[in-house]
Structures are given as structure tokens and as C-alpha cells.
Amino acid sequence: MDEHGGTEYTVTGSYEGTEPLDKKLKRIMEQNAADDKYGITEDADE
């Protein structure tokens, strides 16, 4: 379990990659925060 900005995250599963998982998750979370800041959203299936 990890805590960022008062939110706790629990991750289960497996990961195969060359980058440590905590660094990968941090990079993804930072990218998502940047996307939110600039109003970039993923396409929704509606």
C-alpha cells in the first residue's frame, strides 16, 4: 500500500518490466495529473 496526497492505493497482481514498479506507477500518476491539468481526457465508450 502506498499513500499519495492523502489517498491510499493498494495494488495487486504481477508486473513484468525493466522499470521498478513504484517508479512506473509514479510516472503514470504524474502523467494523469498533467493530463487533468490541461483538460486532456481519454475517449469514453458512449
Side-chain angles (χ1 to χ4, degrees), residues 3-21:
E3 184 173 335
H4 291 276
T7 303
E8 292 183 358
Y9 296 90
T10 302
V11 179
T12 60
S14 62
Y15 167 70
E16 293 181 19
T18 58
E19 166 177 40
L21 182 57

Side-chain angles (χ1 to χ4, degrees), residues 27-37 40 42:
R27 179 173 52 78
I28 291 169
M29 289 171 56
E30 288 172 346
Q31 181 61 54
N32 287 343
D35 289 350
D36 290 345
K37 179 179 179 182
I40 299 171
E42 295 179 17

